[in-house]
Amino acid sequence: MFNASLPPQSGATLAMVNPLAGADHQIAGWFHAHLSQAFVNLLRVFSEPGSAQLIGVVLFLAVIFFVWKRAWTALVTMIVAVPGGMLLNELLKLAVHRHRPFLDGWFVDWSGYCFASGHTIGATLLYGQLLLFLLPLMKSKRRQRLIILSAAMLVMLVGFSRIALGAHYLTDVIAAIFLGVLWLMICALLLKPMRRRVVAPVAIAVEEPRPVTAATVEGRASARLFVADIVAHKLSP
């Protein structure tokens, strides 16, 4: 058994605030009682795609790629959506001030607050935004479904690992996914005018007819005379 216990809270008060409080504690307690070193090692692998280190590396590579391609709208979208959303989540943690399920134990050593899950919202924001970039490029419905399923499974594995490791409650993970998706939707709406300003000049330049110059008019007239001469020659007896 573990020398750790759930932080004391008033059951009646907690139930009024969080109707899933009972499920939160039961699930956290069950996983905490069944942790083993092998299970913890596996959970840490599942948790890694939502770690700040890996997200930072992916963001760095994405920034370099967008700068190289001069995709300024995509660059701004990525920065606002992912680091911006994660920063808001940290402010939410300080505001809610919810303690983690377990603070110490054989395989547990957590600090900070837990609502909402930082790993889960980071994974939701990063892989969700990459998904939004990739979907328009996929012409096959099968490939679209495949990348949507892959992104969803990745986020779910990160969320599951955080619950099983005792770092977060179930509601921390649910809230992180919900808030992450909501933030991506807000970013898409707020940055829509920027995308229009970038696309509109390009569309106008493509659709605008070329100006007719004197040389063009002369060339067309010469071509018509040439064709007329050939027709006259063919019709002459």
Side-chain angles (χ1 to χ4, degrees):
M1 297 296 292
F2 298 93
N3 296 323
S5 59
L6 293 170
Q9 298 181 19
S10 170
T13 304
L14 188 60
M16 292 177 62
V17 177
N18 177 16
L20 296 177
D24 271 347
H25 289 281
Q26 289 176 5
I27 294 172
W30 188 90
F31 278 113
H32 195 69
H34 291 82
L35 285 179
S36 64
Q37 187 62 60
F39 190 30
V40 168
N41 292 339
L42 179 62
L43 291 173
R44 286 175 177 168
V45 172
F46 290 161
S47 181
E48 191 61 25
S51 65
Q53 293 82 1
L54 183 59
I55 290 176
V57 170
V58 175
L59 279 175
F60 177 74
L61 295 176
V63 167
I64 293 177
F65 176 77
F66 291 142
V67 171
W68 176 51
K69 290 291 186 179
R70 298 182 181 274
W72 308 121
T73 304
L75 176 62
V76 172
T77 301
M78 196 73 174
I79 294 175
V80 173
V82 183
M86 294 177 70
L87 177 60
L88 290 177
N89 186 67
E90 291 302 315
L91 297 177
L92 179 63
K93 283 186 176 184
L94 295 176
V96 175
H97 210 77
R98 187 184 195 186
H99 293 284
R100 296 185 184 273
F102 301 95
L103 300 179
D104 53 43
W106 291 357
F107 304 112
V108 176
D109 183 19
W110 308 118
S111 61
Y113 301 113
C114 67
F115 187 90
S117 170
H119 277 66
T120 307
I121 197 170
T124 303
L125 294 171
L126 177 63
Y127 305 115
Q129 187 57 59
L130 291 176
L131 178 65
L132 293 176
F133 285 147
L134 292 175
L135 272 180
L137 304 178
M138 299 292 176
K139 297 182 179 180
S140 169
K141 294 293 183 182
R142 182 178 180 182
R143 290 184 179 180
Q144 289 181 350
R145 289 193 293 267
L146 180 61
I147 63 172
I148 291 173
L149 180 61
S150 300
M153 288 297 297
L154 200 56
V155 173
M156 292 298 178
L157 281 176
V158 172
F160 168 76
S161 69
R162 303 309 289 170
I163 296 171
L165 284 170
H168 293 283
Y169 293 106
L170 171 64
T171 48
D172 299 334
V173 169
I174 294 175
I177 295 174
F178 174 78
L179 293 174
V181 172
L182 180 62
W183 180 246
L184 289 177
M185 293 172 61
I186 291 174
C187 290
L189 290 174
L190 292 179
L191 297 174
K192 191 174 182 179
M194 179 184 294
R195 292 196 298 273
R196 285 178 177 174
R197 285 196 298 269
V198 173
V199 173
V202 177
I204 293 173
V206 171
E207 295 176 0
E208 184 179 1
R210 294 181 179 179
V212 179
T213 61
T216 305
V217 173
E218 184 180 354
R220 290 177 181 175
S222 300
R224 284 196 295 268
L225 290 174
F226 179 72
V227 173
D229 289 341
I230 293 176
V231 173
H233 179 72
K234 291 293 184 181
L235 296 177
S236 61

